[in-house]
């Protein structure tokens, strides 16, 4: 069950479920967040049942993935930076959609529901692992303590969306243990190959491809997302899985972050993120 407004004070509502002192705000407000988001999608695609849910039940995903990507980003931003009321409204919309969706994975014949807590846990762990990995490479998170804090904070997001809270990893070590247990059930299905192609070379209108920098900009994001995947995941995609790839990827992520930080502030974050930052800043007491 999702919480209601009766469960918190006005001050708690204003700060949201995480607040400015959280590692979550630090990670999700940083420019490398976008790299971690794409990495998460590539990792999620390796779960045959979860990938089938996206491929067959997400309307228009194969031909026009942009609306779904935008909705996913807005959801994460709202849960992170919105008030608690705003976050709960977003969660209820998503859970309402999930309750109506079910399918059968063609390779195994397994019937599933999109709101299966095990599938939701897979999606959650891929997101947390990806966002944290990229944040650590970019030196946004620099200590093991803060890395564990981030994983623990994200239990709240997992419980909100419908995961079984007791099964959600709370430390980096528990997160690694989760992936070790799940890896034998992963596979590169045709749907996963299609998802990789969509992430790397998504469809764009001709005027966007030729008259804007969108194609090379997206290519940079996608390349970084692929390069930062775990070695075992890169091998599943038939990509280089050597250890030497990791230092190069880390250097590229840091260079990307420095380049984005030179852009005007409003270009670095979504309006939802800025609204949350400004709302909390306005509420801070002014010292005499």
């Amino acid at each position: 069950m999702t919480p209601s407004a009766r469960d918190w004070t006005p001050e708690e509502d204003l700060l949201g479920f995480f607040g400015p002192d959280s590692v979550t705000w630090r990670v999700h407000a940083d420019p490398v967040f976008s790299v971690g988001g794409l990495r998460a999608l590539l990792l999620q695609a390796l779960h045959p049942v979860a990938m089938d849910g996206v491929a067959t039940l997400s309307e228009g995903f194969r031909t026009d993935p942009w609306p779904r990507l935008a909705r996913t980003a807005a959801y994460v931003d709202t849960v992170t930076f919105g008030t608690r009321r705003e976050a709960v409204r977003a969660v209820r919309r998503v859970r309402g959609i999930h309750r109506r969706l079910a399918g059968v994975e063609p390779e195994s014949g397994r019937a599933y529901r999109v709101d299966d807590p095990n599938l939701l846990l897979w999606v959650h762990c891929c997101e947390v692992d990806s966002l944290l990995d990229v944040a650590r490479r970019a030196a946004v998170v620099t200590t093991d303590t803060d890395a564990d804090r981030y994983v623990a904070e994200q239990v709240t997001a997992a419980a909100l969306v419908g995961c079984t809270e007791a099964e959600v990893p709370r430390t980096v070590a528990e997160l690694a243990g989760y992936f070790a247990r799940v890896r034998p059930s992963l596979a590169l299905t045709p749907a996963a190959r299609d998802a990789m192609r969509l992430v790397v070379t998504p469809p764009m209108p001709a005027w966007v491809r030729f008259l804007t920098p969108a194609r090379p900009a997206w290519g940079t994001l996608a390349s970084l997302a692929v390069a930062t995947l775990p070695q075992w995941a890169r091998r599943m995609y038939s990509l280089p899985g050597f250890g030497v790839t990791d230092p190069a990827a880390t250097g590229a992520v840091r260079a990307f972050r420095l380049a984005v930080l030179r852009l005007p502030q409003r270009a670095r974050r979504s309006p939802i993120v800025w609204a949350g930052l400004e709302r909390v800043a306005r509420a801070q007491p002014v010292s005499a």
Side-chain angles (χ1 to χ4, degrees):
M1 292 179 62
T2 53
S4 72
R6 295 188 300 273
D7 300 323
W8 52 74
T9 67
E11 292 76 17
E12 289 172 330
D13 180 41
L14 183 145
L15 290 175
F17 283 106
F18 302 98
D21 296 328
S22 66
V23 181
T24 292
W25 271 43
R26 190 195 319 164
V27 170
H28 291 198
D30 196 83
V32 297
F33 174 84
S34 56
V35 177
L38 288 185
R39 180 191 188 274
L41 293 178
L42 292 169
L43 203 54
Q44 290 163 6
L46 293 173
H47 191 298
V49 177
M51 185 62 241
D52 185 72
V54 174
T56 62
L57 301 175
S58 184
E59 186 176 353
F61 176 74
R62 295 175 186 271
T63 56
D64 185 13
W66 299 108
R68 187 180 190 278
L69 293 175
R71 289 193 300 269
T72 300
Y75 171 80
V76 175
D77 283 349
T78 302
V79 171
T80 304
F81 296 98
T83 65
R84 294 194 177 192
R85 291 172 186 267
E86 291 167 344
V88 166
R89 282 198 296 268
V91 167
R92 284 175 175 161
R93 283 195 297 271
V94 168
R95 294 186 70 164
I97 294 169
H98 286 174
R99 278 194 296 271
R100 300 193 298 267
L101 299 177
V104 177
E105 198 279 311
E107 300 288 323
S108 64
R110 174 183 164 184
Y112 63 89
R113 292 179 54 86
V114 171
D115 62 358
D116 181 336
N118 290 325
L119 295 181
L120 296 173
L121 181 60
W122 166 252
V123 172
H124 168 79
C125 288
C126 289
E127 180 180 302
V128 171
D129 182 76
S130 295
L131 295 175
L132 179 59
D133 175 85
V134 173
R136 298 193 83 169
R137 291 176 187 271
V140 176
V141 173
T142 58
T143 68
D144 293 341
T145 298
D146 277 356
D148 280 338
R149 275 185 61 200
Y150 177 70
V151 177
E153 288 170 4
Q154 286 301 297
V155 174
T156 297
L160 284 170
V161 83
C163 295
T164 302
E165 187 170 346
E167 297 179 1
V168 182
R170 294 177 177 271
T171 65
V172 171
E174 289 181 6
L175 187 61
Y178 169 82
F179 280 105
R181 293 191 300 274
V182 173
R183 276 178 59 184
S185 65
L186 305 181
L188 183 65
T189 63
R193 290 192 185 93
D194 289 345
M196 162 68 90
R197 284 192 289 269
L198 276 175
V199 167
V200 174
T201 56
M204 294 181 181
W207 71 269
V208 173
R209 290 200 310 271
F210 298 118
L211 299 179
T212 76
R215 176 66 79 187
W218 186 266
T220 298
L221 279 177
S223 297
L224 290 173
V226 170
T228 55
L229 282 169
Q231 292 180 34
W232 58 265
R234 295 200 301 269
R235 287 192 292 267
M236 289 184 69
Y237 277 115
S238 300
L239 298 168
F242 304 113
V244 70
T245 305
D246 289 317
T250 297
V253 167
R254 293 189 180 186
F256 169 81
R257 181 174 187 265
L258 290 175
V260 176
L261 287 174
R262 295 189 183 100
L263 297 174
Q265 284 196 7
R266 289 287 169 178
R268 300 181 210 159
R269 295 165 175 158
S270 79
I272 297 172
V273 176
W274 280 115
L277 296 174
E278 291 170 353
R279 182 187 70 248
V280 171
R282 288 195 302 269
Q284 298 298 319
V286 179
S287 57

